[in-house]
Amino acid sequence: MRYNSTQLTSSGHPLSLVKGIGIFILTLLLSVQVWAQDSSISGKVTSAEDGSTLPGVNVIVKGTSQGTVTDIDGNYRLNVPEDAEILSFSFIGLEAQEVEINGRSIINVEMAADTRQLSEVVVTAIGIEREKKALGYAVSDVEGEAIQQISEPDAVRGLTGKIPGVNISGSGGGVGSATNITIRGNSSLLGNNQPLFVVDGVPFDNSSNRSNDDFRQGNPQSNRALDLDPNLIESITVLKGASAAALYGSRAANGVIVITTKAGKAGSKKGFEVTVSSGVSVEQVAMNPEYQGEWTQGATFGSNNFVFNNGFFGTWGPRYDDVNRWLNAGVNDKGEDFSVAPPLRKYNNPNRPDLFAADIYPQISEAPTQVLPNTDNWENFWQDGVLFENSVTVNAGGEKTSLTAGLSRTDNEGIIPFSELDRTSVSFGGRAQLDNGIFVNGSVTYVETNQRTAQQGAEIITGAAAGSSLISMLYLLSPTYDLTNNPYVNPRTGGSIYYRNGFDNPYWVSEFAPINSEVSRAFGKAQVGYDITDWLTVSYQAGFNTYTDRRSSLVPANGENIPAGQYTVDDIFREELDGNLLITFDKNINDDINLRAIVGHNVNQRTFEQQTIIGTGVIDRSITNIVNTGSQVMRRDLFEQQRFQAVFADLSFSYRDYLFVNAVARNDWSSTLPTDERSYFYPGGSFSFVPSEAFNLPNFWNYFKVRGGISRVGNEATPYLTQNTFVINDNVGFQDLNAQFPFTNGNGSFNGVNANRRQANPELSPEFTTEYEAGTEMRFLDGRIGLDFTYYDRRSTDQIVAIDVPNSTGFGTRVTNLGEVQNRGVEIGLDLTPVNLPNGFRWNIYTAFTRNRNEVLDLGDLEQVVVDGFAELSIVHRPGFPAGQILSQDWLRYNEETGEVGNVGVPLVNANSGKALENPDLQIIGDPNPDFLVGVTNTISFKGITITALVDYQHGGDMYSHSADQMLSRGVLNDELVTDRTPVIAATGFIGTQSGPTLDENGNLQPTNVIIPRNDFVFFDGWAAGGVDWHSVYDRTTIRLREVTLGYTLPASLLDKLPFGSANITFSGRNLWFNAPNFPSALNMDPEVSGLGVQNGPSQGLELMGVPTTRRYGVNISLTF
Amino acid sequence: MMAMSVAILLILSACSDEFLDINDNPNEPVNPDLELLFPTAQVAYSTVIVHNTRLGDLGTLGQVYESTDSQYNFTGGTFDNAWDEFFTLALVNLEQIIASAPEAGLVAHGAIAKLQKAYVFATIIDIWGAAPFDEAVNGEFAQPMWEDGATVYPKILALIDEALAELGGLAEGDPVPSSDAIYGGDVDNWIKMGNTLKLKMFINLANAGDASAVSQIEALANGGNLISSNAEDFEFLYGNTLAPETRHRWHQVHYVATKTYYMSNSLMSRMIGERTANGESFGVQDPRLRYYFYRQLTDFDPTSTNAIVPDDFPCFGYGARYEDGTTWQTVCAYGYQGNGYIGRDHGDGTGIPNDGGARTTFGVYPAGGLFDDNSAKTVAQSDGTGAGVVPLLTYSMVNFWLAEANLLYGANTGSTAEDHLREAVASHISKVLAFPATAGVSTDPTFEPTQAEVDEYVNTVIAQFQTPDTSRPLLASAEDIWAAQFQISLFGNPVEAYNLLRRTKLPVALTADIAPNSMAIIPVNTYPRRLPYPQDELNTNPNAIRQSETPWESTPVFWDTQAYPTRFDGN
């Protein structure tokens, strides 16, 4: 047999699947090829560079369809007709050669790299590959290597600081916690600001799919880009602006992250290659607040009467020294009997068998003989996590056919005890170019992502609202309580043991109250095309992307919050189908002008289903399923579907390879809009001019390009916003009221319907984003200096938003087209190579600078739009302000110059209490938008060793910090404000009332002179954290050592003796150091602890206590065979 | 070529209109059956009134139970949810019934919805003082204009009259709502509810000196078809299931480890009946005591240090917490009542200790919890049933109001104030004593009051009403005694308890329990004359009255015209 399948897949390969598919494809090849047999030629193809053999090289008898590919050792054998004269050898990335046969039967060939192809090619919209220099807009591409071997299992977080114009922030350090990514600022007032993800040409859902409607309960769910294993990614291209993204249509207004997986990439350079990489890393909590160990749990009454109480939240009691002295003496300084009750005494009640645990834990009934500060409760709670990453990818094939298979596995034990994440991916892809002009390619990936974490909602502990969350009490826990050594579970009942009623022990929550998510996801595509002529191609690509996320959440019985126990199952299904027809015309009109035209059609359907069942009353605590609950409520049963179709065109002219003009246009028809508004059209255009090719520039100036573009992108709505509806047995609306339907009372059993809180809009129209951008790229001194500069101005108008409306309308929100938001800014990529020695020593500094200015230009007739939050601590948009201002309480202030009472000046103070008055109207107290972001990557390489260090810096941006607020007001933070317990007089302020200052008999302002105990000063309506929220807003400027790697690549000389094609070892560290200098230093605040996950809107200004961030140290090994 | 054909097929199918006509919501109906809207509205407005994160805190202002809210530190956000749910769960659905009923020929449905709308709006005006009415819950107005209570009240009364006329014109066999979770569609009871709602509103107006209101009250009293027995009470009953959650909110949040409210030391003191230094008690134990309050401890010794340290309880009456230099001061007027009646004084703003297992908590009436049979246990979710009640407009209220009209506004109510008071107290006691059977909670007959004990109690109250004891400053007048009884009976309705205190400034015993010179507990704010406007509404409605324009601490609602004695503001 002439065409031996083992040539492609290598005998003895472990993956028989690869082999099987290989045979299948070759059978296809055989079925369309017919040829004669005359004489035989054989030979070997080697690399001109290093003499290595080249498998997979295409060898064709010129003028015929006869040909073959070289085998794993670079050998080929080919029968040629007698009249054959020339053999052509070709391979991607190598310069093609034509060799005259001249009667030879052995022809050996050396092939050299194709220098012309060194000019970069990037994947742009809908998979169109274009030369980078021809682009009239900014794109950034990142090789897969940059996000591999850095001990970061989240591909998106791995991009942080590396791309100008892109702002990425994680939401704490829980395994699989969500990552927020925005490109060129927040354009959408209330909608999604996340870019569109496209993987191997198919839109890729990156939803967070929150299980709870209320963000206060926000157990941060993963966003589903987590399903992408960095080890299986070939490259990432970021299309930042509307010009780049317009062809993707509706969802591209926030930019596009185009990801090519190894399975979906165009071709393989090496004929056969196996890559194995393995990594292990350790993660530790990175944010460790310092707790004060001087003052005990308790309260301060009056000015200096410190009362010990180990049942309190607050740590405003006497000194540890005093308490222990009193304990020894048996009397306190007032001469009263003094003893300390066991903090867990409520478990010493034999009449309550459901609580009784004193026989199991002696400390429950023993009065303590001393009281000590346990300032390491926090550090002890978090465990060291471990991350294992393993992957194998196999490439086989040559220029015309290739196959890739990949297998990867990630295991991550998190810093929360018992939390873990595992992710297993299998992918497969292949392509074939037939000689009759037909080409096919396809890829498919299957991923399972399992996450087990604990109830960790970023709770605000006000009243009984706090749920069963390990976070809710951990930050502010008094060090007087020994969290580490006291028991946390009652083995008799399985219930929680904790000093404070109404709260569950964090250890108990983390061990027994899991939140699980099991995601099964498949995505892929198949494309079939036909090169009708060498300038006309037609292709169709069908893609799919679907997953189920089976979630469950358990609160066991006998906890404090839900004593009966509760088990919730939440099944989520998403599916996206996408079809793309492309007709490509590509022809040189004459020697100078090339025209490429693409017209296409796109059809897309998205489906979402969610079913949630809440089972209350756990029956048997060894069983976890919904049958094992006393009663069940169906919370949700949703089906949503939307479709669109579109036609589009993309025209590109190039003149002499230095002037490029591109025009795009697209018309969409969306199912989500009213019939007469469902069609919308949007055009765009861009140009690129490369003077360095057109003119003779000075020698030092290697490359110069200017570019500019203007584009518009239309966007559709989400489903079902055009019709007012009623909710059946509305457990969502009534959930908060703790009354549920069907409702049974003494008068009967009742179903109910309720008007949907969201008022629909039958006149909805599409929203549009228009963006101008201009930029330049330059390289000097043989590429030692490179600059990429972009300015953009993006305006989003007629946004489809569900704005909060006055409840007196009967609704909570109304869907409307609203407003105009502007984002403008600069992106700078500066590439410097200060040292580049002949011996190979090279030092490169790459700086990514991002500065975005955002302004809400117009909100129609609205004075403000509420984005998210609570009634008195929320994020709002106001015209004339940057998007997403923090709105909350401030003092009532008196302006001495104008005599006005309002939001300017010094506070007015209650004459009796000595406390500041609160302004009854809420005020803007902070702006979360950062001034700029900089990421600096230093890379030093020498003889196979590469060292990189990425430092990133965020300047400005305010944040309300609930952890600072709570840890100060509860008196636990080692900060002078709370460790100094001297009573205080407020520094500034005048005695007054809500109507203004109270003047003395001479008509003068009276400064406040009331002395306040420190407890009151900081806490109850005080002058510090416990007072108005204005106190707890901090500038979150942060500098961070984000990433350090040390890599070593084994030299070729050494590899000759080993069975490897290449071998690489990398040591890495992530988030090694950070400093946010404007927060109380004892807090060690990492502003990336937002705890809110991915928000629909710019809510990063609220930190509500989340899982702290982590630091990782790891080592990775990568080998190719 | 296969692929091309498939592609062309897909495109052709995609181009048809049917392909895109999929935007009708498959999960939610557009035109639901009107019957389904009644229970939604009823559950909503009833629950809002007692819910601890809605209007439940008004009970601490009416001083029928306590919390740290004694600081009066409310803000615009405190009562946001109550406002929200009155409009988006109650009124919007009632308006839907009102709008659709005529076309469907369902006159009774529309009229009954109007009466409930009137009840909700009367409540809104009574506690907030102003609200949108004409433009509220009307699709045409995105930012409804606010109206002052004085403007809205007549419109509510007109709405009631309109509804009563419609109900009066019904013919035999006309359809009535079958899903009415309160009266089961009984039109006669709804007519009585409508008239009683008018009485409640005219009482407020009469207090403000509106002479025509007095004559309206007289008309209602003399054959006005008011609620005339406990059986006709306009009240909402809860269920006993955890999932779906149908229990009374007070059972939900007090039959768990952490409790929202403390029982009021002064109310318990008065009902225990032992004469104390302040002398506010009637001198005889109230028959309702064991129905209202469940003691988790009965033999509690506050001086013992092991079970619960005394420092946990700032106001035991035996000492004080505030040290001014060297002097200890008594800051508690009532303090610990003994026998395990552990509550909190009004005005005590000190922190919440870890005392969930010790506090006295809600009993069987109205929360559906336990009857106090000296069992003295830490209450749990499984104790009692939760099948409690929210009394909205009741027969005893009618009699208390008629006594008020007679006593304070000189109305001729066809009977004496004393008779009204006797009927009010007796009927309320009989309602409470009968309630365990309704709620499905068992009682121990050993601890149930006998009829003789009930009679003795009523007679004692009436005797004191006839001859007030001026040596007991807090029960020194007939008005004080009437108000003290009215307040006791309003234990289950925080809104009316708050209304009573603001309207009459009675009973005089209240609001200044705590010695004014104790620094830790000086209210930063004055006694709230009304609730702050809801912040969410202010954030979204430019037509709302700004908080700062009419400060809520100092601007009463329109019918609250009499000056507040200084004791209300604590200093």
Side-chain angles (χ1 to χ4, degrees), chain A residues 301 352 499 645 871-872 1021, chain B residues 14 73 75 80 312 321 354 378:
Chain A
F301 294 97
R352 287 293 306 276
Y499 85 97
Q645 55 162 316
E872 283 168 348
D1021 309 317
Chain B
N73 190 15
T75 62
D80 252 335
D312 281 347
R321 301 299 302 275
N354 201 15
T378 308

Side-chain angles (χ1 to χ4, degrees), chain B residues 12 19 131 185 205 238 277 306 384 388 403 416 439-440 530 538 552 568:
Chain B
L12 287 178
F19 181 75
L205 294 171
Y238 284 86
N306 199 30
T416 64
R530 59 168 182 81
L538 296 176
W552 53 274
F568 273 84

